[in-house]
């Protein structure tokens, strides 16, 4: 089940205003150009910012899939959204439908999407499903944080607290705070408080910080090849941009 941060209707509507800087998506636009992509499957599309950029800036055929219906509802209201195919679900749902087999040049998992798969079998199933939807020679691109950077040590209320004026909601307060580190699993809370009426909505998330070797092994085990691990351009030394060929 998706975290409340993405599946709660009120939280989904303020997700973009609370985190407006999506310059991280420029890396994926560069990949689209690098491989001369004409069709993209965006797994974990969230509120659809990347999908809508793809159709408005590159005129591509795009499918966005996400299990959080509230986030997809926000996506559907954005400019260009009518040119995107939206699916509320997960990659295995697409793989179960023959009409999606070998249909896409590129599959992406932006931001933290690749790290939400905590169980190894779920992660492998996701990768196999994505590969089923890629054309032979197509590519998968995703990012993952470098464990040795220990990013979670910066996820504190002191460093992340903000109060933002959001149209239609007034002032909205939020922050992140790590509550547990268990090996590769990092759990954190993300409270959001709507100051106009005092409603507080709590969301708890867990991410898995896999090693580079584990990521490479999982890709090879699910039929990908030519795995390339690049330094994440906007966070050098702190994240990997991983590209593999189907």
């Amino acid at each position: 089940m998706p975290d409340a941060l993405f599946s709660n209707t009120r939280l989904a509507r303020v997700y973009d205003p609370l985190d407006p800087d999506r310059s991280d998506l420029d890396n994926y636009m560069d990949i689209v150009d690098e491989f001369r992509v004409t069709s993209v499957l965006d797994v974990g599309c969230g509120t659809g910012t990347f999908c809508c950029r793809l159709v408005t800036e590159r005129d591509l055929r795009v499918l966005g899939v996400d299990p959080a219906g509230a986030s997809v509802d926000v996506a559907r209201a954005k400019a260009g959204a009518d040119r995107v195919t939206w699916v509320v679900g997960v990659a295995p749902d697409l793989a179960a439908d023959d009409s999606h087999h070998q249909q896409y040049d590129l599959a992406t998992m932006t931001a933290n999407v690749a790290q939400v798969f905590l169980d190894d079998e779920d992660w492998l199933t996701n990768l196999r499903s994505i590969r089923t939807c890629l054309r032979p020679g197509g590519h998968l691109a995703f990012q993952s944080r470098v464990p040795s950077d220990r990013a979670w040590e910066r996820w504190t209320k002191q460093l992340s607290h903000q109060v933002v004026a959001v149209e239609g909601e007034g002032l909205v307060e939020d922050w992140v705070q790590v509550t547990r580190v268990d090996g590769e699993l990092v759990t954190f809370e993300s409270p959001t408080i709507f100051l106009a009426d005092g409603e507080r909505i709590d969301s708890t998330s867990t991410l898995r910080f896999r090693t580079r070797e584990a990521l490479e092994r999982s890709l090879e085990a699910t039929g990908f090849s030519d795995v390339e691990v690049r330094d994440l351009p906007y966070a050098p030394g702190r994240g990997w941009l991983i590209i593999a060929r189907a």
Side-chain angles (χ1 to χ4, degrees):
M1 178 178 293
D3 302 333
L5 192 63
F6 311 108
S7 59
N8 178 282
T9 298
R10 196 174 191 187
L11 291 185
R13 288 174 180 166
V14 299
Y15 180 84
D16 292 326
L18 293 179
D19 187 17
D21 181 8
R22 294 309 310 274
S23 56
D24 59 298
L25 298 176
D26 294 345
N27 302 318
Y28 294 93
M29 299 298 287
D30 290 342
I31 291 170
V32 166
D33 295 337
E34 177 181 349
F35 294 114
R36 299 181 180 180
V37 166
T38 62
S39 54
V40 177
L41 165 61
D42 187 29
V43 176
C45 65
T47 58
T49 300
F50 182 51
C51 290
C52 291
R53 281 192 65 178
L54 290 170
V55 296
T56 58
E57 297 179 24
R58 295 295 188 276
D59 194 26
L60 305 184
R61 181 170 62 86
V62 179
L63 186 149
V65 59
D66 197 289
S71 291
V72 175
D73 286 343
V74 172
R76 293 180 193 275
K78 292 185 174 180
D82 58 328
R83 296 160 57 192
V84 178
T85 300
W86 305 102
V87 174
V88 176
V90 291
D93 297 332
L94 303 179
D97 182 344
D98 291 347
S99 68
H100 294 294
H101 289 188
Q102 299 186 3
Q103 289 296 305
Y104 303 95
D105 297 326
L106 175 69
T108 56
M109 289 183 283
T110 66
N112 292 326
V113 172
Q115 291 184 249
V116 304
F117 298 92
L118 308 183
D119 178 78
D120 282 338
E121 190 51 44
D122 287 344
W123 172 237
L124 294 173
T125 298
N126 181 64
L127 292 177
R128 291 189 192 101
S129 299
I130 289 172
R131 186 175 179 276
T132 297
C133 295
L134 285 171
R135 292 171 177 161
H139 291 84
L140 165 64
F142 65 92
Q143 65 192 68
S144 190
R145 298 173 189 267
V146 176
S148 61
D149 178 56
R150 301 177 68 85
W152 58 86
E153 294 181 347
R154 300 186 290 272
W155 299 349
T156 66
K157 181 177 181 179
Q158 180 181 6
L159 294 177
S160 62
H161 179 266
Q162 63 175 356
V163 178
V164 178
V166 177
E167 184 178 358
E169 288 286 4
L171 295 178
V172 181
E173 178 182 14
D174 77 334
W175 66 87
V176 296
Q177 178 67 57
V178 169
T179 57
R180 179 179 174 83
V181 179
D182 182 10
E184 295 183 338
L185 302 180
V186 177
T187 300
F188 55 96
E189 295 178 346
S190 305
T192 303
I193 303 171
F194 296 85
L195 298 180
D197 59 18
E199 182 179 14
R200 171 174 171 150
I201 306 174
D202 292 301
S203 180
T204 299
S205 306
T206 301
L207 299 179
R208 184 168 177 180
F209 285 69
R210 289 181 170 86
T211 66
R212 172 175 175 166
E213 292 74 21
L215 291 167
E216 290 174 332
R217 286 196 304 269
S218 65
L219 288 164
E220 291 164 0
T222 50
F224 287 92
S225 62
D226 299 335
V227 178
E228 181 181 359
V229 181
R230 304 178 181 178
D231 210 19
L232 196 60
Y234 73 90
R238 296 166 55 187
W240 296 305
L241 179 60
I242 300 169
I243 302 173
R245 187 167 62 87

